[in-house]
């Protein structure tokens, strides 16, 4: 029996690749938002990707990967900026760090609100839940769903509008109680 990987544990490489593959474009966009041009962003993204792999053992898998990866990427950006002192950057280091922190926090707030939305969707009446699933998860158009249900498209649009309002109220209520 292989003692390195328990039978039900995915190898570390597979786990890393699953997280990294899901968030790689977001991480790149995050880095690009902190640097003046695409070539710099590409260089730093490559460096950050290697660092992420090397430090993956430090990652707490009970937490979100993207904010952790962005905090690692911020350090890669800072190191790049220090090594390129002769170049002028649009943002000073303090402002760049403030922007990076806000982007990470914003991502976490969005993830939290998405979790609340999922909770609220689960509370919908079965027919409303089914309608949301058909339009947003299956990605059918409201017109297609209306045809399948034998209803007018306007009826479906009106129902979806009422459901969206109900979901917004639910999410806002839940977030204000947190």
């Amino acid at each position: 029996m292989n003692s390195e990987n328990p039978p039900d544990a995915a190898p570390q490489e597979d786990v890393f690749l699953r997280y990294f593959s899901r968030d790689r474009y977001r991480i790149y966009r995050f880095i690009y938002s902190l640097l003046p041009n695409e070539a710099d962003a590409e260089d730093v993204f490559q460096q950050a990707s290697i660092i992420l792999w090397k430090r993956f053992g430090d990652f707490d898998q009970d937490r979100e990967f993207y904010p952790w990866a962005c905090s690692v990427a911020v350090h890669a950006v800072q190191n790049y900026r220090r090594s390129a002192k002769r170049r002028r950057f649009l943002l000073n280091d303090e402002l760049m760090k403030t922007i990076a922190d806000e982007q990470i926090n914003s991502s976490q707030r969005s993830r939290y609100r998405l979790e609340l939305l999922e909770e609220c969707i689960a509370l919908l009446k079965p027919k409303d839940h089914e309608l949301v699933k058909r339009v947003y998860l299956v990605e059918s158009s409201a017109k297609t769903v209306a045809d399948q249900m034998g209803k007018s498209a306007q009826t479906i649009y009106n129902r979806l509008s009422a459901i969206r309002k109900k979901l917004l109220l639910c999410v806002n209520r839940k977030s204000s109680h947190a």
Side-chain angles (χ1 to χ4, degrees):
M1 183 167 159
N2 183 353
S3 61
E4 290 180 45
N5 294 316
D8 57 345
Q12 189 80 340
E13 298 88 10
D14 292 347
V15 176
F16 174 77
L17 287 173
R18 187 170 50 245
Y19 283 114
F20 186 75
S21 295
R22 184 190 66 209
D23 288 330
R24 66 179 297 167
Y25 296 110
R26 290 174 64 204
I27 296 165
Y28 172 78
R29 288 191 310 265
F30 173 78
I31 291 169
Y32 190 31
S33 74
L34 302 175
L35 292 167
N37 64 55
E38 192 171 355
D40 292 342
E42 282 289 335
D43 289 345
V44 173
F45 177 72
Q46 294 304 320
Q47 292 168 5
S49 299
I50 292 167
I51 295 166
L52 287 168
W53 167 242
K54 288 180 179 178
R55 293 190 185 163
F56 188 65
D58 299 336
F59 172 60
D60 176 0
Q61 293 183 31
D62 291 331
R63 303 192 64 175
E64 293 289 329
F65 179 77
Y66 177 73
W68 175 78
C70 287
S71 67
V72 170
V74 165
H75 293 292
V77 169
Q78 290 171 324
N79 289 339
Y80 182 81
R81 289 168 58 103
R82 273 193 292 278
S83 70
K85 282 188 178 186
R86 67 186 180 284
R87 299 188 57 201
R88 293 186 48 83
F89 292 102
L90 187 60
L91 306 174
N92 67 32
D93 288 342
E94 187 177 324
L95 183 56
M96 186 274 310
K97 179 77 169 108
T98 300
I99 291 170
D101 290 345
E102 181 55 36
Q103 287 181 11
I104 292 169
N105 291 336
S106 175
S107 171
Q108 290 171 321
R109 284 190 303 271
S110 295
R111 177 88 58 194
Y112 173 68
R113 287 187 63 84
L114 185 58
E115 290 171 5
L116 293 178
L117 176 60
E118 289 171 356
E119 290 176 19
C120 291
I121 288 172
L123 297 174
L124 289 173
K125 295 176 186 173
K127 67 179 185 171
D128 289 345
H129 189 272
E130 179 63 25
L131 181 59
V132 167
K133 188 169 112 179
R134 289 173 79 175
V135 172
Y136 295 108
L137 293 179
V138 178
E139 297 184 19
S140 295
S141 70
K143 170 87 172 96
T144 301
V145 172
D147 291 344
Q148 292 169 348
M149 296 175 73
K151 298 188 179 212
S152 74
Q154 190 60 50
T155 299
I156 297 301
Y157 287 124
N158 292 345
R159 188 70 211 134
L160 287 170
S161 178
I163 292 169
R164 283 192 296 267
K165 287 176 187 171
K166 184 185 287 188
L167 290 172
L168 178 62
L169 289 172
C170 178
V171 168
N172 287 343
R173 186 176 58 250
K174 284 180 173 285
S175 66
S176 69
H177 288 93

